[in-house]
Amino acid sequence: MNLIDGKAISAQIKQEIAEEVANIKAAGGKTPHLAAVLVGHDGGSETYVAAKVKACEEVGFKSTLIRYEDDVTETELLACVERLNNDTDIDGFIVQLPLPKHISEDKITEAIDYRKDVDGFHPVNVGRMSLGLPCFLSATPSGIMELLKRYEIETKGKHCVILGRSNIVGKPAAVLMMQKGYPGDCTVTVCHSRTSNIKEMCLQADIIIAALGVPEFLKGDMVKEGTVVIDVGTTRVPSDKTKSGFRLAGDVAFDEVAPKCSYITPVPGGVGPMTIVSLMKNTLLAGKKVIY
Ligand code: GUN
């Protein structure tokens, strides 16, 4: 069993990005600038946004954090998006989700200029990804592809079973794993909460991407010997062993599944650290203005 070390790979990629940023600056180019919009005080969102801002510092980007209280109106938030769209110093920006219930996430996402949509959530970017055209790829699937590449894991002709059909992980991961080339060229099966024979499907998989958000869903008797398992689960569960009072639980029963795998990602330290690096990669791309 080989452990896929997302922490080490993400540190390596951050270093590569930092070197490129230093070269851009040395040549008199513009420092890439990411803005993040954070609404309210959700604990998870606060943590994620703080990590994004810190990553910007580490690679040499400029970053701006814009905060609103929970009672911000949709109109105010749309006006903020419009300002950021028109701000020529901002290369890319994100609006951290989830948003309060009175604000339409779809409306906000669609209002973002797709050329600054470094989350890759805008329909133009999702559509372009499906067509295999240049675009901003959403962070988690992009991070998974990068891990497969860096570990030189064979994907051609393999059966990839994806657990979960979310717009930000399951669906885009299915598209990328079936696309022509490497990583890709897989036969893909997408399973979800209404799939009746998930165990049977998983037992046929060469690669499993678990993105259901159900802690320890994938058990040892659901995988065959030699499977590659990518665990995208990050459910916060209470814990008396951590200072924060919670720990992150993956979708994979790691102790049972790991001994059967050829490769497996841990939680934490697998896919998680890669998502921020994907955002940094997209911001660098946005700074270069190559997506138009
Ligand atoms: N909430 C959870 N993940 C993400 C993400 O990748 N981007 C944004 N904007 N919000 C999120």
Side-chain angles (χ1 to χ4, degrees), residues 184-197:
D185 286 334
C186 282
T187 303
V188 175
T189 302
V190 180
C191 299
H192 46 78
S193 55
R194 301 291 183 270
T195 303
S196 55
N197 55 346

Side-chain angles (χ1 to χ4, degrees), residues 37 44-45 48-49 52 93-98 112 119 121 138-140 168 275 279:
V37 181
S45 294
Y48 290 134
V49 169
K52 289 169 187 178
F93 66 97
I94 62 157
V95 178
Q96 188 68 22
L97 306 178
I112 296 171
D119 261 332
F121 291 170
S138 71
T140 305
I168 63 173
T275 61
L279 179 66

Side-chain angles (χ1 to χ4, degrees), residues 25-288:
K25 289 183 190 174
K30 181 186 172 302
T31 300
H33 186 178
L34 174 74
V37 181
L38 176 57
V39 178
H41 300 274
D42 172 77
S45 294
E46 292 267 6
T47 307
Y48 290 134
V49 169
K52 289 169 187 178
V53 169
K54 182 165 164 264
C56 282
E57 272 168 33
E58 287 168 358
V59 300
F61 292 165
K62 194 172 159 188
S63 68
T64 298
L65 174 59
I66 300 164
R67 303 195 70 126
Y68 287 95
E69 290 303 321
D70 277 319
D71 60 357
V72 65
T73 66
E74 190 176 87
T75 309
E76 281 173 305
L77 204 54
L78 284 169
C80 171
V81 167
E82 197 52 33
R83 271 197 310 279
L84 292 170
N85 282 342
N86 294 320
D87 185 334
T88 52
D89 197 60
I90 305 278
D91 297 296
F93 66 97
I94 62 157
V95 178
Q96 188 68 22
L97 306 178
L99 292 171
K101 294 224 165 0
H102 64 278
I103 298 173
S104 159
E105 290 183 353
D106 289 341
K107 221 165 165 178
I108 299 296
T109 300
E110 289 199 41
I112 296 171
D113 186 327
Y114 67 88
R115 293 163 295 193
K116 293 191 176 190
D117 167 41
V118 284
D119 261 332
F121 291 170
H122 191 284
V124 168
N125 283 313
V126 177
R128 286 183 175 184
M129 176 201 59
S130 303
L131 297 170
L133 297 171
C135 64
F136 293 115
L137 282 182
S138 71
T140 305
S142 163
I144 294 169
M145 296 304 129
E146 195 62 48
L147 286 177
L148 294 172
K149 251 195 264 181
R150 300 260 170 166
Y151 277 84
E152 297 179 359
I153 293 170
E154 182 61 88
T155 56
K156 185 168 60 182
K158 303 293 181 190
H159 183 198
C160 176
V161 169
I162 296 174
L163 305 179
R165 54 180 162 180
S166 70
N167 287 337
I168 63 173
V169 186
K171 274 190 220 169
V175 167
L176 296 175
M177 292 302 280
M178 77 169 94
Q179 76 184 349
K180 273 194 180 158
Y182 181 78
D185 286 334
C186 282
T187 303
V188 175
T189 302
V190 180
C191 299
H192 46 78
S193 55
R194 301 291 183 270
T195 303
S196 55
N197 55 346
I198 288 197
K199 183 174 175 182
E200 199 182 308
M201 285 297 156
C202 289
L203 282 168
Q204 289 174 30
D206 304 304
I207 302 169
I208 298 177
I209 299 176
L212 284 170
V214 179
E216 308 205 339
F217 177 87
L218 191 73
K219 303 279 194 269
D221 65 354
M222 295 168 75
V223 298
K224 67 179 186 190
E225 288 290 330
T227 309
V228 176
V229 172
I230 308 290
D231 188 351
V232 187
T234 51
T235 309
R236 292 173 140 218
V237 297
S239 168
D240 52 17
K241 292 195 180 69
T242 62
K243 223 170 28 173
S244 59
F246 70 86
R247 66 177 176 90
L248 287 183
D251 284 359
V252 177
F254 187 88
D255 293 346
E256 292 176 22
V257 173
K260 298 177 99 173
C261 294
S262 55
Y263 291 89
I264 185 166
T265 62
V267 174
V271 176
M274 295 299 294
T275 61
I276 298 215
V277 160
S278 305
L279 179 66
M280 298 300 114
K281 272 169 59 182
N282 277 349
T283 305
L284 186 59
L285 208 58
K288 292 181 186 167

